[in-house]
Amino acid sequence: MLPSARPPSQRSGRLGLGIIGAGRVGPVLGLALAGAGHAIVGVSAVSEQSRERAEAMLPGVPVLDIPTVVERSELVILAVPAPELPSLVAGLAATGTWQPGQIVLHTAPGFGIDVLQPAATAGAIPLAVHPALEFTGTSLDLARLGESYFAVTAPAPVLPIAQALVVEMGGEPVVVDEADRPAYAEAIATATAFSRSIVEQSTGLLRSIGVEKPGSFLSSLIRSAVDNALTRAGAPTRLDLDVIGALQDDAAGGVAGGTGPEGDPGDDGRGWFLRGE
């Protein structure tokens, strides 16, 4: 029996992790989970660019074909383009590749767990987990995960598994209902595309009038404008979190790292604000 098929109280908590897709997202999430103690057993990479990224981000991890990655894994991350997801899941079900008790996690924003039904029928545990972050595909993303929220959709009995994996990656899980995933995906696409297009348009105008390094010129303006807009929307900004962290350190008398009498060695440093306390 796979460890993931056992009751939570009987699991070691460490899983053999397989990554399907070596684009910008899969290797980063794999590294984050490896940092929490899970073991990456393999990654699939088809294009030359994806193979190079896999080698750079996951040195020493074997590059394997998709069925082999799935067969060796207790937790499978499907980090593939959304249009490819349904056929991939169904194809692996048709060949009997999915295993009972295996955790299958996809990262497509517009899909919930219905797309994983062929795997669930074979006994796999379906999870939909999307980090609200525009990835670069580099190690820079690892730090950004700690400032990110993750949309989580899962059957109620296994929702804690999805939430625990997000916390292990350094993020904050937010439950999104199956029916709300299309609206969630639209919100993510709108924010991403609008931000990119505004920056490109603004820097283009400045470049046309001879301003050198227009990106650097607008950097403080854009960051402050976005922070102000997020504040009005009720979200913490980077400055808010830094101030909160400093106040917590002062109040604890320097015990934020668990060194004082009131310190909590398990504190993840995000504080009460992000936990919603």
Side-chain angles (χ1 to χ4, degrees):
M1 177 185 292
L2 288 169
S4 53
R6 301 171 187 149
S9 61
Q10 298 180 16
R11 296 180 197 161
S12 67
R14 305 304 91 187
L15 302 171
L17 166 64
I19 304 167
I20 307 300
R24 295 182 178 182
V25 178
V28 174
L29 298 188
L31 272 180
L33 288 169
H38 301 289
I40 305 177
V41 299
V43 59
S44 73
V46 177
S47 69
E48 185 62 30
Q49 184 179 18
S50 64
R51 286 179 172 271
E52 291 176 356
R53 181 179 290 111
E55 292 174 1
M57 293 287 290
L58 306 170
V61 174
V63 177
L64 307 169
D65 61 73
I66 292 176
T68 302
V69 172
V70 174
E71 289 169 359
R72 294 184 180 184
S73 303
E74 297 158 348
L75 166 60
V76 180
I77 293 180
L78 301 177
V80 299
E84 299 177 11
L85 184 60
S87 60
L88 173 63
V89 176
L92 290 170
T95 56
T97 306
W98 299 118
Q99 304 168 60
Q102 187 174 50
I103 300 173
V104 182
L105 180 158
H106 80 73
T107 62
F111 288 112
I113 57 173
D114 281 352
V115 72
L116 298 176
Q117 187 55 47
T121 300
I125 298 171
L127 309 177
V129 176
H130 177 262
L133 175 69
E134 185 173 37
F135 284 76
T136 65
T138 69
S139 57
L140 291 174
D141 297 327
L142 286 173
R144 293 172 177 169
L145 286 178
E147 304 172 4
S148 300
Y149 288 85
F150 287 58
V152 173
T153 306
V158 296
L159 183 59
I161 297 177
Q163 293 170 317
L165 290 172
V166 169
V167 171
E168 285 187 324
M169 287 185 278
E172 186 80 5
V174 175
V175 178
V176 176
D177 290 340
E178 180 81 20
D180 293 333
R181 293 290 291 209
Y184 167 77
E186 183 179 357
I188 294 298
T190 300
T192 303
F194 183 76
S195 300
R196 186 184 298 116
S197 64
I198 289 299
V199 170
E200 291 175 352
Q201 181 179 358
S202 300
T203 54
L205 288 170
L206 290 179
R207 189 177 291 108
S208 71
I209 62 173
V211 174
E212 296 183 359
K213 300 180 179 179
S216 298
F217 184 93
L218 290 176
S219 177
S220 295
L221 172 65
I222 291 175
R223 292 177 189 277
S224 60
V226 170
D227 276 353
N228 290 340
L230 291 173
T231 299
R232 288 192 291 271
T237 66
R238 183 68 263 163
L239 177 60
D240 294 329
L241 299 180
D242 289 343
V243 169
I244 289 168
L247 290 174
Q248 289 176 330
D249 288 346
D250 290 342
V255 298
T259 58
E262 301 299 324
D264 177 8
D267 187 6
D268 62 4
R270 287 175 289 177
W272 60 268
F273 196 99
L274 282 183
R275 291 197 296 268
E277 299 174 0

